[in-house]
Amino acid sequence: MLEFKITEVPTIETERLILRAQEISDAPALFYLRTNESVMRYIDRPQPQNIQDSQMMIQMINDNFKTGAKLIWGIGPKTDPAKMIGNLGFWRTD
């Protein structure tokens, strides 16, 4: 399995987007995304029941990064990078 040997989530900038580490303050946005039927249409995962579930998910994502198991970015528009509009990353990569 692929392991990451970096100490912090690298920030990546494109013409329109910023990929960055996820913060606990992103929990409301993550909750919205994970409870939106259109977003979750092809993603077979349990939905969070509340903002606290999303906070725990972000904490788990960050803890798993620290152990080298996952690398997941929050996606924000370059005009407002603190606004998370999605996430993407590597996990269970063999």
Side-chain angles (χ1 to χ4, degrees):
M1 181 126 7
L2 181 65
E3 289 185 24
F4 298 97
K5 308 257 188 223
I6 53 179
T7 57
E8 57 184 63
V9 175
T11 300
I12 299 172
E13 293 188 31
T14 71
E15 186 177 315
R16 298 179 304 119
L17 301 172
I18 293 185
L19 282 63
R20 58 169 177 75
Q22 292 182 78
E23 304 290 336
I24 296 299
S25 60
D26 293 319
L30 185 61
F31 178 77
Y32 170 78
L33 293 167
R34 294 296 175 118
T35 57
N36 183 299
E37 285 185 33
S38 296
V39 172
M40 298 302 289
R41 184 174 177 185
Y42 301 108
I43 301 173
D44 186 24
R45 295 219 177 143
Q47 291 187 352
Q49 299 301 306
N50 50 50
I51 300 289
Q52 291 76 22
D53 286 351
S54 295
Q55 290 172 334
M56 289 189 317
M57 181 182 290
I58 291 170
Q59 186 62 53
M60 182 185 66
I61 286 168
N62 292 334
D63 290 346
N64 283 319
F65 171 75
K66 290 175 187 171
T67 65
K70 296 179 183 181
L71 175 54
I72 300 177
W73 288 273
I75 305 167
K78 212 168 198 178
T79 57
D80 187 5
K83 178 182 179 183
M84 190 174 88
I85 60 171
N87 63 9
L88 70 108
F90 300 101
W91 64 287
R92 294 186 188 169
T93 305
D94 191 2

